[in-house]
Amino acid sequence: MQDTCTVYQTVKYLTKKWTLLIILELYKGQGYTRRFSELRNALDGITPKVLSERLRELEDEGIVCRNVDATAFPVRTEYTLTESGLEIVSVIRGIKHWALKWKIDNIPCGEQDCKVCVL
Amino acid sequence: MQDTCTVYQTVKYLTKKWTLLIILELYKGQGYTRRFSELRNALDGITPKVLSERLRELEDEGIVCRNVDATAFPVRTEYTLTESGLEIVSVIRGIKHWALKWKIDNIPCGEQDCKVCVL
DNA sequence: GTAAACCGTGCAGGTGTCCTGCATGGTATG
DNA sequence: CATACCATGCAGGACACCTGCACGGTTTAC
């Protein structure tokens, strides 16, 4: 089950570092596209390598759509959430509601301004 | 965010080996309790060490309730899903629906009789 | 032609989590 | 004292994941 089950893989996938934050960053910017450098600036501490990796993976998963405008200078690469990506936010929200309801102190996150909890 | 956010921790937690399967096994047996040895038999291949670990963790998370009947011989230890545990199944179901809807072949799992997908 | 702006990728290395397998222990009855 | 049940401890290894740094490719402007 561990290796083949898509449900399991989806959950597992979300736990990779930065994945959730990238999705939520794109969600925040819903409606307008986000460029690679914008994302890099928004996600404090992420290295281009990891950002690149995650975006590829998200694209493979069909969660993120990548658009390259080669006519522009310099090349503009823009990212958006796909429809599937928008819907996975609801799933994440479901998890958050569960945590809010059942975690003793009703504080899902100890961190100030946690992007997930602001969701 | 990675370490302190409860939402993140919840997701991360579910990806541990056997965790999902244990929850679903208890869910299947909803209404009646399950003993340690029953779970061990139901989960093919699990070692007592891991089962024990997971059950402890699930108890700490408030997902599973443990009841020890010390008057019985030998000691009967019984496990049930808590209310919170029952509700997390809905969350898992949400993930499954997402996967069903968006994964190309509409088959969430390649494995026959995957416990998660039967959900 | 060379610098600048943007978008990445490759490699080396380290860390830490997680799993396996096996042995062990504790308790209470018959 | 053997048996049934419920676990736990330790050693060892595998693997995924992250970090840091350097490099590369493209097109315009000067």
Side-chain angles (χ1 to χ4, degrees):
Chain A
M1 170 274 218
Q2 307 283 0
D3 300 321
T4 50
C5 177
T6 308
V7 173
Y8 178 80
Q9 285 173 345
T10 301
V11 180
K12 178 116 196 175
Y13 181 63
L14 292 177
T15 67
K16 280 197 171 184
K17 198 168 180 182
W18 297 110
T19 305
L20 262 179
L21 292 181
I22 292 171
I23 292 175
L24 296 178
E25 191 59 35
L26 287 171
Y27 182 76
K28 224 176 61 184
Q30 193 182 353
Y32 56 97
T33 55
R34 308 298 299 277
R35 303 180 59 180
F36 187 85
S37 47
E38 285 174 343
L39 291 173
R40 190 174 52 182
N41 292 333
L43 302 166
D44 190 40
I46 198 170
T47 62
K49 174 185 173 52
V50 170
L51 179 54
S52 170
E53 269 178 18
R54 291 299 172 276
L55 286 170
R56 290 285 178 199
E57 292 164 356
L58 285 164
E59 202 189 351
D60 290 344
E61 295 289 321
I63 292 171
V64 153
C65 179
R66 170 209 195 80
N67 259 310
V68 182
D69 182 358
T71 69
F73 161 73
V75 175
R76 289 181 74 93
T77 315
E78 300 182 322
Y79 298 91
T80 334
L81 284 186
T82 63
E83 206 181 334
S84 135
L86 289 173
E87 289 194 14
I88 210 172
V89 172
S90 304
V91 175
I92 297 168
R93 209 176 254 135
I95 298 169
K96 182 197 160 193
H97 284 329
W98 182 87
L100 264 173
K101 181 166 181 185
W102 294 106
K103 290 305 169 180
I104 298 163
D105 49 12
N106 266 12
I107 298 171
C109 181
E111 191 175 326
Q112 286 292 73
D113 298 327
C114 172
K115 302 290 170 58
V116 177
C117 299
V118 167
L119 180 61
Chain B
M1 171 278 217
Q2 306 283 2
D3 299 320
T4 50
C5 178
T6 308
V7 173
Y8 178 81
Q9 286 173 344
T10 301
V11 180
K12 179 113 194 178
Y13 182 64
L14 291 176
T15 66
K16 281 198 170 183
K17 195 166 180 184
W18 298 108
T19 305
L20 262 180
L21 291 183
I22 291 172
I23 292 174
L24 296 179
E25 191 58 37
L26 287 171
Y27 182 75
K28 224 175 60 183
Q30 193 182 352
Y32 56 95
T33 55
R34 307 298 300 277
R35 303 181 60 182
F36 187 86
S37 48
E38 285 175 344
L39 291 173
R40 189 175 52 184
N41 292 333
L43 301 166
D44 192 38
I46 198 169
T47 62
K49 173 186 174 52
V50 171
L51 179 54
S52 170
E53 268 177 20
R54 291 299 172 275
L55 286 170
R56 291 286 178 196
E57 291 163 358
L58 286 163
E59 202 190 350
D60 290 344
E61 295 290 321
I63 291 171
V64 154
C65 180
R66 169 210 196 78
N67 259 311
V68 182
D69 182 357
T71 69
F73 163 73
V75 176
R76 288 181 75 91
T77 315
E78 300 183 322
Y79 298 91
T80 334
L81 283 187
T82 62
E83 206 182 331
S84 135
L86 288 173
E87 288 193 14
I88 210 174
V89 173
S90 305
V91 174
I92 297 168
R93 209 176 254 135
I95 299 169
K96 182 196 159 192
H97 285 329
W98 181 87
L100 264 174
K101 181 167 182 185
W102 294 106
K103 291 304 170 177
I104 297 163
D105 48 13
N106 266 11
I107 297 171
C109 182
E111 189 175 327
Q112 286 292 74
D113 298 327
C114 173
K115 302 289 169 61
V116 177
C117 298
V118 166
L119 180 62

